[in-house]
Amino acid sequence: MKTNNRIRNLRRKAAESQDWQCYYCQQPMWETDPKSFSARFRVSDRAILLFRCTAEHLEARCDGGRDIEENIVAACHYCNRNRHRKKRPKDAVSYVSLVRSRMEQGRWHPVLLKQNPV
Ligand SMILES: [Zn+2]
């Protein structure tokens, strides 16, 4: 995904208002410093990539979702990637429900940083 300054600023703003927790799974995310993040949570460098903070369009770009503040939330790489793996991504509300219920069943992230975040 192409990341320009505007998106980066929107992503950071969203992340700050979400207290750096993923909009979907509520796991912590990192933006620029994976090393201290992996030290803090004691996970591998590979697992840490899943928790990179990304800009997520609530209304997907392919549905005409725009790069505006109201449409951008911060989501971890894992949730973002999984939502958009499908040709027709779920709407954001359904996807929140899906992720949260999977989280409760322990069937979402392969590695959890924070237990029972929901
Ligand atoms: Zn997530």
Side-chain angles (χ1 to χ4, degrees):
M1 181 192 292
K2 179 173 159 257
T3 303
N4 54 33
N5 282 339
R6 181 178 161 73
I7 288 279
R8 189 163 63 214
N9 291 338
L10 290 172
R11 181 187 69 206
R12 185 166 299 166
K13 201 168 172 185
E16 279 166 4
S17 76
Q18 292 165 221
D19 210 14
W20 292 93
Q21 295 182 9
C22 173
Y23 183 78
Y24 299 114
C25 68
Q26 301 181 305
Q27 291 288 305
M29 300 178 293
W30 57 274
E31 184 186 39
T32 54
D33 189 1
K35 276 209 157 42
S36 66
F37 191 87
S38 62
R40 189 171 143 213
F41 291 102
R42 297 164 185 271
V43 289
S44 70
D45 290 349
R46 208 177 117 102
I48 215 71
L49 296 176
L50 302 178
F51 299 96
R52 184 169 57 81
C53 180
T54 65
E56 160 74 346
H57 292 71
L58 289 177
E59 184 182 21
R61 274 183 176 152
C62 60
D63 293 329
R66 294 199 293 144
D67 298 345
I68 52 170
E69 192 173 338
E70 295 74 19
N71 195 40
I72 302 282
V73 295
C76 73
H77 177 69
Y78 186 77
C79 290
N80 194 335
R81 186 186 65 188
N82 278 300
R83 181 177 173 211
H84 296 288
R85 188 171 271 169
K86 297 217 168 86
K87 262 214 176 95
R88 299 284 316 156
K90 281 183 179 300
D91 67 88
V93 174
S94 314
Y95 193 64
V96 168
S97 316
L98 172 80
V99 172
R100 300 279 170 91
S101 79
R102 290 279 185 86
M103 286 294 284
E104 278 173 21
Q105 300 161 28
R107 291 173 51 226
W108 191 241
H109 271 287
V111 175
L112 282 187
L113 305 181
K114 229 173 60 173
Q115 299 297 325
N116 305 319
V118 180

